[in-house]
C-alpha cells in the first residue's frame, strides 16, 4: 500500500498545475483525535497531569500544500521511515505552550498511541486553524505516515486551478488502479 501511495504522490506532483501533493490522516476541517504525550524523563505524576495534543499523520508536501511555514528545524525527509528513529514536527502553539523557555528542537517526546513511542522533535511549523477560522489553533503534533501508517488517508493538493483538482485527482487515481474510488473532494478556499 505504501508503494501505491508513493506512486500516487509522484504522479500528482508531476501533473501540470499541481504545486504540492501530500497525504494526511486528517486534513484541516476533518476531525482527528487528541493523543497523550510527555517530555522524555518527565512523565505525568497522575492522570490529571496528562497533556494532550492533536495528531496528524502526514506525508509528501503537506506543509507546502497548506501554505504552512517552517518556523525552525526541518520537516519530514525520505529517510524518516519505519525502522528509522521516530521523529515529530510540532505546531508553533505547541512549542510556545510546552517549551516556553527552550528550543523544542532535539527534545524527545513520549507519544502514547496505545504503546508509548519516543520521538525527537525535528521541526516547528506555523499554526493551522484545524477546525475553522473561528477556532484557535490547537497544539498539534505531526507524525510522518512513513513511520506510522494511518488507517485512513486523504490527499491534499495545492493547485493552480482548485476547481479542477477533483477531476485531476480522480483521473490520476484511475490511471494507477481503476478499482480505487475517490471519495468527496473539497476546497479549503
Amino acid at each position: 500500500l505504501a508503494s501505491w501511495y508513493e506512486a500516487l504522490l509522484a504522479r500528482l506532483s508531476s501533473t501540470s498545475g499541481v504545486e504540492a501533493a501530500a497525504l494526511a490522516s486528517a486534513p484541516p476541517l476533518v476531525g482527528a483525535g487528541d493523543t497523550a504525550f510527555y517530555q522524555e524523563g518527565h512523565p505525568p505524576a497522575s492522570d490529571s497531569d496528562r497533556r494532550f495534543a492533536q495528531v496528524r499523520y502526514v506525508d509528501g508536501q503537506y506543509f507546502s500544500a497548506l501554505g504552512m511555514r517552517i518556523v525552525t528545524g526541518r520537516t519530514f525527509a525520505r529517510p524518516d521511515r519505519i525502522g528509522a528513529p521516530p521523529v515529530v514536527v510540532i505546531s508553533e502553539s505547541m512549542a510556545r505552550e510546552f517549551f516556553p523557555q527552550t528550543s523544542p528542537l532535539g527534545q524527545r517526546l513520549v507519544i502514547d498511541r496505545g504503546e508509548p513511542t519516543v520521538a525527537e522533535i525535528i521541526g516547528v511549523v506555523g499554526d493551522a486553524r484545524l477546525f475553522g477560522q473561528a477556532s484557535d489553533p490547537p497544539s498539534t503534533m505531526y507524525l510522518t505516515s512513513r513511520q506510522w501508517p494511518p488507517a485512513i488517508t486523504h490527499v491534499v493538493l495545492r493547485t493552480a486551478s482548485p476547481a479542477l483538482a477533483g477531476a485531476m485527482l480522480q483521473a490520476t487515481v484511475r490511471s494507477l488502479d481503476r478499482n480505487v474510488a475517490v471519495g468527496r473532494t473539497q476546497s479549503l478556499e
Side-chain angles (χ1 to χ4, degrees):
L1 193 56
S3 62
W4 191 87
Y5 281 121
E6 284 186 29
L8 176 63
L9 284 179
R11 242 187 238 175
L12 286 168
S13 295
S14 66
T15 301
S16 177
V18 173
E19 298 166 8
L23 303 176
S25 60
L29 307 180
V30 173
D34 282 344
T35 296
F37 73 94
Y38 60 88
Q39 191 172 355
E40 186 178 44
H42 306 304
S46 67
D47 281 348
S48 63
D49 293 330
R50 293 176 71 197
R51 296 176 170 213
F52 295 87
Q54 278 285 300
V55 172
R56 304 287 163 136
Y57 302 89
V58 303
D59 198 2
Q61 302 169 329
Y62 180 81
F63 303 110
S64 314
L66 294 177
M68 296 171 69
R69 67 185 167 75
I70 309 307
V71 176
T72 188
R74 68 173 179 89
T75 61
F76 304 116
R78 202 156 191 68
D80 298 324
R81 305 180 140 304
I82 291 175
V87 293
V88 59
V89 172
I90 65 173
S91 66
E92 197 170 14
S93 60
M94 184 170 174
R96 275 192 311 271
E97 182 177 352
F98 298 107
F99 301 97
Q101 303 297 321
T102 185
S103 169
L105 295 182
Q107 301 289 333
R108 294 165 50 91
L109 298 179
V110 178
I111 301 168
D112 190 355
R113 303 171 334 110
E115 182 176 313
T117 302
V118 178
E120 180 181 337
I121 299 172
I122 59 167
V124 177
V125 293
D127 287 328
R129 293 187 183 277
L130 299 177
F131 303 110
Q133 293 299 318
S135 65
D136 290 333
S139 290
T140 308
M141 295 183 285
Y142 298 93
L143 303 172
T144 175
S145 56
R146 290 177 184 214
Q147 291 183 327
W148 289 290
I152 297 173
T153 301
H154 299 265
V155 175
V156 179
L157 296 173
R158 176 178 288 271
T159 66
S161 304
L164 303 176
M168 180 189 327
L169 176 60
Q170 288 178 3
T172 305
V173 167
R174 254 184 269 128
S175 75
L176 289 169
D177 187 337
R178 293 188 105 32
N179 296 316
V180 175
V182 173
R184 179 174 60 98
T185 59
Q186 175 180 342
S187 174
L188 292 179
E189 290 189 332

